[in-house]
Amino acid sequence: DALSDSTPYIQVELAQFYSDALSEPGASVQILMTEQAKIKHWNMEGGLAQALRRILPAASIEEVVIPELKNEEELWRIFEKMFEVIPEKAEIMLDITHGYRSMPLLGAVILDYARSLKHIKVLGIHYAAVEARQSDVVPIVDLSRLDRLFRWNRAVELFIRSGDASGLEGLMGETARYADKEAKQGLSLPAEKRLCSNLRQAHELLVTVRGEHIRQGRPFLFAKNALDELAVSGGYASPMLPLYDLIRDRVAPFKEDSSENLLHAISLCIGYGLIQQGITLLQESIITILLSIYDLDVKDRDQREAVSRYFLFILWTNDYITDPRKEEKYANAIKTFQDDPLCESLGGAFNALRDLRNNINHASFTHDTPHPDRFRKVLIEQFINVLVALAENEEFKEACALLLEKFKKA
């Protein structure tokens, strides 16, 4: 698009270009200006107000007077004015051609802020590049990608902090729709979309504590495969490129159908602040790992209960706790592992989490009300105890060494 000498105002050119949309019911145009700009450009004959009202007779057109930008206080007053004129759920087009040099940045920040609080949609950010004038034509540049960059930043931050990749997946879908049909884009975009989709699925497994699916490891493995493809083809979505190494560090240890995956998932839960999920997964993983070491059925309810009941028995040996070895449905399973020192070590960690798991799952509506910090502290302590206990087991040696080193650094 270009602005010709037929008008000195980019706002007029944009009004003509978007005249259909701005003629619909509810459409409005707000022009922010200082008192000085209002005198020079707004109400005089042939001024901006007259030109806009001629092109958009049905639209609401108003001036919004802002202060001269001389200090931080006036910056916040401008922020408040701009935010105030944005309607709820509006579709916004922003022109940043004229005004203070800080206005483009301030405008982009306000749009990002309004997206969260007023649920707006940004249709365009426009700038008339006067410095790039050719003959009598000034190009109008669409800077909408800068708005998407703000959203990428938020999505990346969310993923790094919590593992939630839903924002990345949504933006990758938008990127695919906007992309041209070039060979490089065609090669890399499908892999990037699969990467984000599987990262989102992996996070859902952690949040909902899907132990068996975590043990199988599918989304983590598919994410690794997508990264391998991108290592060859390169990526198209630039904001994703710096994330590749970080993502690989998080998914690389996962294997196909391995109980080691449970340990790596607990580590992710701790890192993402998923403490309730981490406590639940650690307790259930202790049972699963002990049963798997002795080739027992990790999904059999009686065998899982046999482990839990035996752990309780060795913790509270008294007349109130029945010896589960005396019950036929538990006896055979317990006989296979009861003499292994590993059973006592894992049982100690399991029992240390028992009351905390009960407390957090019952929303602390119990007699004991531990401080929130205690849940994370005990989870980390008992996770390390489990790693130490399993460190000599051939199946778990590699995972335990990696995770112990990680927590040692932390």
Side-chain angles (χ1 to χ4, degrees):
D1 300 322
L3 174 63
S4 72
D5 276 342
S6 60
T7 175
Y9 300 115
I10 180 179
Q11 296 90 347
V12 172
E13 195 79 7
L14 292 174
Q16 291 174 332
F17 186 80
Y18 289 110
S19 59
D20 289 345
L22 291 172
S23 297
E24 293 180 1
S28 64
V29 176
Q30 283 87 25
I31 307 294
L32 279 74
M33 64 190 77
T34 63
E35 285 287 358
Q36 187 177 5
K38 181 177 179 179
I39 294 170
K40 286 184 177 180
H41 300 286
W42 187 246
N43 283 327
M44 81 289 295
E45 182 67 25
L48 182 55
Q50 190 178 83
L52 289 174
R53 288 175 178 137
R54 184 180 67 253
I55 298 168
L56 305 171
S60 170
I61 299 172
E62 60 179 310
E63 75 274 23
V64 179
V65 177
I66 59 174
E68 301 280 350
L69 183 53
K70 297 176 181 177
N71 52 51
E72 183 178 349
E73 183 181 346
E74 290 177 341
L75 176 67
W76 283 111
R77 287 173 60 196
I78 294 172
F79 180 95
E80 291 167 1
K81 285 274 190 180
M82 291 181 70
F83 185 73
E84 183 182 325
V85 299
I86 297 175
E88 290 276 347
K89 298 181 180 179
E91 295 182 326
I92 303 292
M93 292 171 284
L94 176 66
D95 164 47
I96 59 172
T97 304
H98 302 291
Y100 304 114
R101 292 185 178 182
S102 60
M103 291 305 291
L105 177 59
L106 182 59
V109 170
I110 288 174
L111 291 183
D112 195 52
Y113 192 65
R115 181 184 294 107
S116 297
L117 295 183
K118 294 192 173 183
H119 314 291
I120 67 164
K121 180 179 180 181
V122 178
L123 298 183
I125 301 176
H126 303 287
Y127 170 69
V130 179
E131 67 279 5
R133 173 191 292 269
Q134 294 183 353
S135 185
D136 62 345
V137 175
V138 175
I140 299 175
V141 183
D142 183 359
L143 299 177
S144 301
R145 288 191 178 186
L146 292 179
D147 174 66
R148 288 203 293 278
L149 189 57
F150 269 95
R151 294 162 62 202
W152 273 107
N153 180 63
R154 183 178 298 180
V156 167
E157 182 183 9
L158 178 65
F159 172 73
I160 291 174
R161 187 178 67 250
S162 70
D164 185 348
S166 58
L168 296 177
E169 184 180 30
L171 283 166
M172 189 57 69
E174 282 187 32
T175 301
R177 290 192 292 273
Y178 285 121
D180 296 326
K181 304 297 182 180
E182 296 179 5
K184 181 182 177 183
Q185 296 168 9
L187 285 171
S188 63
L189 271 170
E192 287 175 307
K193 289 173 68 177
R194 288 199 308 277
L195 173 63
C196 293
S197 174
N198 282 289
L199 290 175
R200 190 253 311 154
Q201 293 174 51
H203 181 255
E204 289 174 350
L205 296 185
L206 299 179
V207 170
T208 57
V209 201
R210 302 297 86 196
E212 176 56 20
H213 291 92
I214 291 170
R215 194 191 67 79
Q216 293 170 0
R218 301 293 186 273
F220 302 94
L221 296 172
F222 293 153
K224 278 201 294 186
N225 292 340
L227 286 171
D228 290 340
E229 288 185 44
L230 291 167
V232 176
S233 65
Y236 171 66
S238 298
M240 283 292 294
L241 300 181
L243 277 179
Y244 290 162
D245 288 341
L246 182 144
I247 294 170
R248 188 175 292 279
D249 286 343
R250 294 183 181 182
V251 300
F254 285 84
K255 302 176 181 177
E256 185 173 1
D257 295 323
S258 172
S259 294
E260 287 180 272
N261 294 343
L262 299 171
L263 300 177
H264 294 299
I266 295 164
S267 175
L268 289 178
C269 284
I270 293 171
Y272 295 149
L274 300 173
I275 303 305
Q276 182 173 12
Q277 290 89 340
I279 289 172
T280 302
L281 189 56
L282 180 52
Q283 269 207 317
E284 297 301 324
S285 296
I286 288 171
I287 294 175
T288 301
I289 287 170
L290 187 61
L291 291 174
S292 68
I293 287 174
Y294 285 93
D295 295 322
L296 298 172
D297 187 352
V298 300
K299 295 183 180 179
D300 184 271
R301 181 173 180 176
D302 287 342
Q303 294 190 5
R304 296 190 71 85
E305 194 168 335
V307 177
S308 177
R309 292 281 296 274
Y310 187 65
F311 284 162
L312 182 63
F313 174 72
I314 62 178
L315 175 67
W316 300 103
T317 303
N318 55 49
D319 295 338
Y320 297 103
I321 303 296
T322 303
D323 186 346
R325 292 172 294 187
K326 295 179 180 179
E327 298 186 48
E328 184 178 348
K329 62 179 179 178
Y330 303 140
N332 290 334
I334 294 174
K335 285 178 183 177
T336 61
F337 56 73
Q338 65 177 350
D339 296 326
D340 189 340
L342 179 63
C343 176
E344 186 173 349
S345 299
L346 295 180
F350 185 93
N351 288 328
L353 295 166
R354 190 186 293 270
D355 289 342
L356 286 179
R357 179 179 176 184
N358 182 64
N359 185 279
I360 201 170
N361 286 341
H362 289 280
S364 197
F365 287 110
T366 61
H367 293 297
D368 189 24
T369 56
H371 191 274
D373 291 346
R374 178 164 173 74
F375 293 96
R376 176 182 173 82
K377 181 175 182 291
V378 175
L379 171 59
I380 293 174
E381 287 175 352
Q382 298 311 319
F383 183 47
I384 291 174
N385 288 341
V386 168
L387 295 176
V388 171
L390 291 170
E392 298 304 315
N393 182 280
E394 197 61 37
E395 181 181 354
F396 297 97
K397 183 183 295 186
E398 180 184 351
C400 290
L402 182 67
L403 291 168
L404 283 170
E405 181 64 23
K406 173 183 174 180
F407 279 87
K408 180 181 178 182
K409 289 179 179 178

